[in-house]
Amino acid sequence: MTEFFHNCTTNERKREIEELLNNFAQQIGAWRFCLYFLSSTRNDYVMMYSLTVFENLINKMWLGVPSQDKMEIRSCLPKLLLAHHKTLPYFIRNKLCKVIVDIGRQDWPMFYHDFFTNILQLIQSPVTTPLGLIMLKTTSEELACPREDLSVARKEELRKLLLDQVQTVLGLLTGILESIWDKHSATAATPPPSPTSGESGDLLSSLLQSPSAAKLLNQPIPILDTESEYICSLALECLAHLFSWIPLSTSITPSLLTTIFHFARFGCDTRVRKMSSVNGSSQNSVLGQERGRLGVLAMSCINELMSKNCVPMEFEEYLLRMFQQTFYLLQKITKENNAHTVKSRLEELDESYIEKFTDFLRLFVSVHLRRIESYSQFPVVEFLALLFKYTFHQPTHEGYFSCLDIWTLFLDYLTSKIKSRLADKEAVLNRYEDALVLLLTEVLNRIQFRYNQAQLEELDDETLDDDVRSRVEQGQLQQTEWQRYLRQSLEVVAKVMELLPTHAFSTLFPVLQDNLEVYLGLQQFVVTSGTGHRLNITAENDCRRLHCSLRDLSSLLQAVGRLAEYFIGDVFAARFNDALTVVERLVKVTLYGSQIKLYNIETAVPSVLKPDLIDVHAQSLAALQAYAHWLAQFYSEVHRQNPEQFISLVSTTLEAITPLISSKVQEKLLLSACHLLVSLATTVRPVFLISIPAVQKVFNRITDTSAQQLPDKAQVLVCRALSNVLLLPWPNLPESEQQWAVRSTNHASLISALTREYRQLKSNAILPQRKVQLEDNVTDEMLSFFLTLFQGLRVQMGVPFTEQIIQTFLNMFTREQLAESILHEGSTGCRVVEKFLKILQVVVQEPGQVFKPFLPSVISLCMEQVYPIIAERSSPDVKAELFELLFRVLHHNWRYFFKSSVLASVQRGVAEEQMENEAQFSAIMQAFGQSFLQPDIHLFKQNLFYLETLNTKQKLYHKKIFRTTMLFQFVNVLLQVLVHKSHDLLQEEIGIATYNMASVDFDGFYSAFLPEFLASCDGVDSNQKNVLGRNFKMDRDLPSFTQNVHRLVNDLRYYRLCNDSLPPGTVKL
């Protein structure tokens, strides 16, 4: 063993040693030597190896061990543990405990009847309490939720046995924690009365309902010796694991809960940490951390209980008590006094304690608030006040984000509550109004440099966040830390706006106004210099103040944009004036920015102020874009009476946009202007847009080939806007006044100008005799174009043209061409083939007879050309698109395969439906079956869904051809997949599909398929097969059937494992 782990040993020698050791472990009597090694050696490696031999023996070979040997092992290992547990290294001791628990998992109570009583005795004897607790925790881990190597019946039996012991165990653990607490409480010196203790009495007594409980929680925290500390931490770890699986019930007594709360106070007691630092010795500071850890463990126990959603009636009162006690702790943490601000107090606490505490608050709001809010004695508003203090004094950004999440949950809860109880909406809102206004004001302050500069400057606004999890959850693009901070804050602002629109608006608008004044006032500092315009603000202090004000303006503009949705729809008229004020300001600001060209101005600190000015300008355009729907609604309300105000808003906006559509303007600003133009053209669509000179200017600029080309993104946006101006119908006007003839001519000339150079390619190109090989990415773009064409205009294109295109493509994609494209994994070639299959998906979905003639060639392309290339490849390229196409072929063209005549369906059961194109249908089904044998889980899920859909919509599983030749092949494949555990994430879906298939012919399933399936199973003997068959009850409802399936799969695996463990030549009875 020492040679094996020595760093000079070569890998080859290691492999030799490993083989020797493995062979030794497989020998039948090896465990005797290992027992000797364990009792005689002090070498960690040898001990660890010996224990793995035992582990392997017990978990893999136990059935074949003679009962005399088993008895010996059961008596020797615990003796060994008792004799050496004080001297063994902790990892060896824990491993030995696990090995003993493994024996219990196999043999208790039948052959190892004192397994559990031994553990209880160990816990009760002071010398061995820690050892007993380690055994208990290991038992809870290994027996309550055992891994798969047990039969279902045994798993159920173990859980029942353990549940019978829960009350005793919880009683013991309560006793241990209480006695240690009481023993040390007596010795703790009572601190002098605190001058601030009076102030919080009222809230406390209202929370706790009883002065005695408050007094209990105000006791000083005892100082524990190291041994007691250790025992408490083990006991709390046991409780946390037990709570993860035992149901909430009265065996979790009030005294146990109170005790856990006593220990939770260890986390929020800063005095402990003080003491450790004053005495300076490292021993003491370690002690301080340990004590903090007790607090963390106690909170873990509380959170385990909190996370259970199902609360029995008799447990509700306990829950209320738990909340009261936790809020007492919350109050303790957030209490201000002369010596400490709340923030410095939170900074002193252990980070993981704060995390657990925040988890508790999240669980409280998300799972239990609706249950608790109805208790008259629970002061929700006071709770919110504490949560408010806790949120805005978080020492870290992550902590603050987590608290904002809790507020978001609370706001969602309020919103849905109000929607469901419109009658007392006012009462609910009045109750919480003050809290919400406070929250809004504080969150707004937090995003402004004016109030929170130090913290905001720590946020990174350069690097994109690589935290994939947060991106996936929010479906967001990558964002910087600063963008995430701002976005999460604005979500809270928006949710408050939804509940209290007038308050929110009157809080936000004045702040925006202040910063706008500064920005609009910059004009007076602009001086003309030799090279252009310069901003005459140079003092360092002034520049810094300007920088902060511009950053704030930019954030507040985003806030105003985020709120646009709360001014439209039913509330348009009621909130019209507020919205108009906002839009007028935004139009003014964008025009101002474009007129004095702040984006091109010289400044004293160009690296800071120039990006600031560009950002404000871009954000003002983006905020205005957010009000496009409001403008559209405004247009439809006023277009008959006096549209002057509306016309002036739109024309001024265009005056602000057009100077920015230039290749000389920074891309950020250019794109904001283009997006705003697209929104005006697409969402607002005023009839006069095309006659505004500014818009005509843009038309000329885009169609003028001599002008410098805009960057691609901007060019596409501008073209889209101009095209939409001509193509989309004008709102509020009848068809007769749409002037389609003129607009059509204009659109044709726009397209003609845009495609002039492209069309010239054809006449210039002297086509060589052989086809030119296009670049893959050009082909990709072309196919994207055709895909869009088919999706939008297949009817207008007419049949002959469509036929011609499809035929061209079919000829192009020969087997060789396909193979070449597909074989480069992840290449553009694959994407081209995928696009082509997408085009065919559109074609085969078309109702009516027009495209039906293509079906045979589409199916043959799929099954004879594409499928053979991809069938054997592990790469997922092209597969998903191909199977979607096959699904669409079946789903939308069912009659191509099954011609059910009206007559046949009338004489149900007499005529069996006619089947056509049977070979093609079978080939497609065969391909689906093959796909279930491959490891790609996404494809598996998609294809299972397709089969289930075909069954729901077209009764696939009931069709004669499926029922007689394929049904049980599919069921067999699905069961094998479950047995191999290769697609475990889809267990539930596979179970349901198996049921849907079997239910077509339950008689056949039970009488023929199941016995055949079991007969063909290798690795199990006939007796075990009979047991498996007997345990599969003949249920015909979905829940029981899927339970039977999972039981069959679990037990089949278990029997195979047992049989593998028997020594060769064993006679099975």
Side-chain angles (χ1 to χ4, degrees), residues 918-934:
E918 189 172 328
Q920 289 182 324
F921 179 80
S922 297
I924 294 175
M925 284 296 127
Q926 193 72 37
F928 270 95
Q930 272 314 113
S931 74
F932 293 142
L933 299 173
Q934 294 180 340

Side-chain angles (χ1 to χ4, degrees), residues 119-174:
I119 295 180
L120 298 179
Q121 280 165 357
L122 288 173
I123 294 176
Q124 281 160 303
S125 150
V127 194
T128 54
T129 304
L131 184 60
L133 291 172
I134 292 167
M135 286 291 289
L136 177 64
K137 181 172 177 235
T138 314
T139 304
S140 175
E141 289 165 350
E142 298 296 326
L143 272 61
C145 319
R147 287 188 288 276
E148 58 173 43
D149 45 4
L150 290 177
S151 69
V152 171
R154 177 65 178 154
K155 286 180 183 175
E156 287 165 359
E157 180 189 18
L158 280 175
R159 181 165 271 240
K160 203 174 157 316
L161 287 165
L162 281 177
L163 279 171
D164 293 343
Q165 302 288 341
V166 161
Q167 199 147 4
T168 318
V169 166
L170 291 181
L172 270 180
L173 292 170
T174 312

Side-chain angles (χ1 to χ4, degrees), residues 668-831:
K668 181 179 194 174
L669 191 50
L670 167 63
L671 289 176
S672 290
C674 296
H675 280 295
L676 176 53
L677 182 62
V678 170
S679 289
L680 288 175
T682 313
T683 308
V684 191
R685 305 205 294 273
V687 64
F688 54 83
L689 205 54
I690 194 158
S691 52
I692 294 181
V695 177
Q696 291 171 343
K697 226 190 216 155
V698 178
F699 265 103
N700 298 337
R701 181 177 187 324
I702 284 294
T703 49
D704 174 9
T705 40
S706 62
Q708 196 177 354
Q709 179 97 19
L710 294 173
D712 284 352
K713 272 187 190 167
Q715 181 82 5
V716 169
L717 288 170
V718 175
C719 293
R720 180 183 303 158
L722 297 179
S723 170
N724 286 352
V725 167
L726 296 167
L727 283 184
L728 297 177
W730 289 321
N732 322 314
L733 283 181
E735 188 64 16
S736 56
E737 293 172 36
Q738 292 287 351
Q739 303 178 16
W740 287 125
V742 184
R743 291 164 78 179
S744 178
T745 318
N746 287 341
H747 196 267
S749 54
L750 171 68
I751 295 297
S752 157
L754 290 176
T755 57
R756 187 177 304 126
E757 293 183 350
Y758 175 68
R759 291 193 323 265
Q760 284 166 358
L761 288 177
K762 192 173 173 184
S763 52
N764 297 351
I766 303 148
L767 284 176
Q769 291 317 301
R770 56 191 183 72
K771 287 188 182 154
V772 186
Q773 264 287 246
L774 282 173
E775 298 272 319
D776 266 346
N777 50 0
V778 178
T779 321
D780 190 22
E781 290 297 338
M782 285 185 173
L783 278 158
S784 299
F785 168 76
F786 278 109
L787 176 58
T788 313
L789 192 66
F790 273 89
Q791 284 166 335
L793 298 170
R794 56 186 175 279
V795 179
Q796 287 80 347
M797 288 186 332
V799 181
F801 185 45
T802 310
E803 273 181 15
Q804 187 189 337
I805 294 176
I806 292 179
Q807 212 44 63
T808 309
F809 280 141
L810 287 172
N811 300 342
M812 210 173 84
F813 285 103
T814 58
R815 177 97 188 236
E816 297 71 44
Q817 173 71 44
L818 281 167
E820 193 182 316
S821 299
I822 295 175
L823 294 177
H824 299 296
E825 210 164 303
S827 64
T828 328
C830 287
R831 287 208 302 280

Side-chain angles (χ1 to χ4, degrees), residues 401 446-449 452 455-463 465 479-489 551-552 554-556 558 615 619:
F401 283 149
R446 282 302 162 105
I447 60 173
Q448 294 177 65
F449 280 79
N452 192 20
Q455 266 197 305
L456 295 180
E457 286 189 333
E458 289 170 15
L459 291 171
D460 173 358
D461 197 17
E462 299 295 317
T463 39
D465 174 21
Q479 45 185 2
T480 64
E481 198 180 19
W482 159 254
Q483 287 166 334
R484 178 179 165 214
Y485 182 89
L486 187 61
R487 207 197 75 250
Q488 279 191 282
S489 305
R551 286 290 300 259
D552 289 349
S554 173
S555 303
L556 293 161
Q558 288 180 57
D615 193 48
Q619 294 298 354

Side-chain angles (χ1 to χ4, degrees), residues 2 40 73 84 146 199 201 226 270 285 340 517 593 600 633 665 800 813 861 887-888 891 1005 1007 1014 1036:
T2 310
S40 318
I73 294 172
H84 297 295
E199 62 184 330
T226 321
T270 47
S285 65
H340 283 79
E517 295 306 322
N600 271 343
Q633 200 168 348
V665 172
F813 285 103
L861 172 89
F887 164 67
R888 302 268 170 221
H891 187 38
F1005 178 82
S1007 63
L1014 289 170
R1036 297 191 169 208

Side-chain angles (χ1 to χ4, degrees), residues 937-938 941 981-990:
I937 193 163
H938 298 293
K941 184 177 184 176
K981 289 182 92 73
S982 50
H983 296 71
D984 253 12
L985 288 172
L986 301 176
Q987 262 182 356
E988 198 177 327
E989 290 90 333
I990 295 174

Side-chain angles (χ1 to χ4, degrees), residues 958-997:
H958 298 259
K959 297 294 174 206
K960 183 182 177 187
I961 180 171
F962 193 90
R963 220 175 46 236
T964 52
T965 63
M966 306 172 190
L967 181 69
F968 290 129
Q969 285 180 5
F970 272 103
V971 176
N972 188 21
V973 167
L974 293 179
L975 286 180
Q976 296 294 358
V977 165
L978 286 174
V979 173
H980 289 302
K981 289 182 92 73
S982 50
H983 296 71
D984 253 12
L985 288 172
L986 301 176
Q987 262 182 356
E988 198 177 327
E989 290 90 333
I990 295 174
I992 293 170
T994 310
Y995 172 79
N996 289 335
M997 289 180 188

Side-chain angles (χ1 to χ4, degrees), residues 519 522-523 526 533 591-599 601:
Y519 178 64
L522 289 177
Q523 194 160 6
V526 176
H533 294 280
L591 181 63
Y592 163 84
S594 297
Q595 278 176 340
I596 67 167
K597 295 196 171 54
L598 283 172
Y599 51 91
I601 220 150

